[in-house]
Amino acid sequence: MTQTIFMVGARGAGKTTIGKALAQALGYRFIDTDSFMQQSLQMTVADVVAREGWDGFRLRESMALQTVTAPKTVVATGGGAVLARENRTFMRNHGLVLYLRASANVLVERLTEEPEDAQRPSLTGKPIVDEIRDVLASREALYQEAAHHVLDATLPPKHVIELILQVLANETVK
């Protein structure tokens, strides 16, 4: 299998951590769409949102997603990439979509431990616990719709990688 592997899930689910390790295990390239946008635009996510609003950011996110899609590439998407129907359809049609699923409590715990993830502007202006719960509630169905496989992202990364490798082995058998 040489298609693109897309990682979807909320902020803090482990898309970058697991994506990098998976890419290494497969000998694939790894790209994080947020980092890709920051490097190509020379602006942080917060800068883009401040300048162009969330709609402008989402448009750039969709363009980045299409730009980085390539064979033998693991792509960590932004948490909101699934908001656009076109993105959900694009990912399903151009690769394998893995949803890293974790509870709001686990995500909040991880985001408080990794403050650099907090460089994103708030979506709701609420405290992080409430924001994560609201965002998860509103996006859960979209993550499910986009995903070919849902994985428990509360497991240690090593175990998640093992599960993904099993999924990939089964995909090739089909």
Side-chain angles (χ1 to χ4, degrees), residues 52-122:
E52 302 176 18
W54 279 107
D55 289 345
F57 172 77
R58 294 291 174 215
L59 186 62
R60 288 184 179 279
E61 185 173 55
S62 296
M63 293 183 332
L65 184 65
Q66 292 178 24
T67 304
V68 302
T69 298
K72 292 192 173 192
T73 304
V74 174
V75 177
T77 64
V82 296
L83 292 172
R85 177 180 303 284
E86 304 77 46
N87 290 348
R88 296 191 304 275
T89 304
F90 178 85
M91 289 187 288
R92 282 194 68 84
N93 292 341
H94 289 85
L96 184 72
V97 186
L98 304 175
Y99 170 26
L100 299 181
R101 191 165 190 241
S103 70
N105 291 345
V106 169
L107 296 171
V108 168
E109 198 175 295
R110 287 180 182 171
L111 290 171
T112 352
E113 286 170 12
E114 302 285 337
E116 72 268 9
D117 284 348
Q119 71 177 353
R120 280 214 149 188
S122 169

Side-chain angles (χ1 to χ4, degrees), residues 41-61:
L41 299 172
Q42 296 295 302
M43 285 194 284
T44 65
V45 171
D47 292 339
V48 176
V49 172
R51 226 181 252 183
E52 302 176 18
W54 279 107
D55 289 345
F57 172 77
R58 294 291 174 215
L59 186 62
R60 288 184 179 279
E61 185 173 55

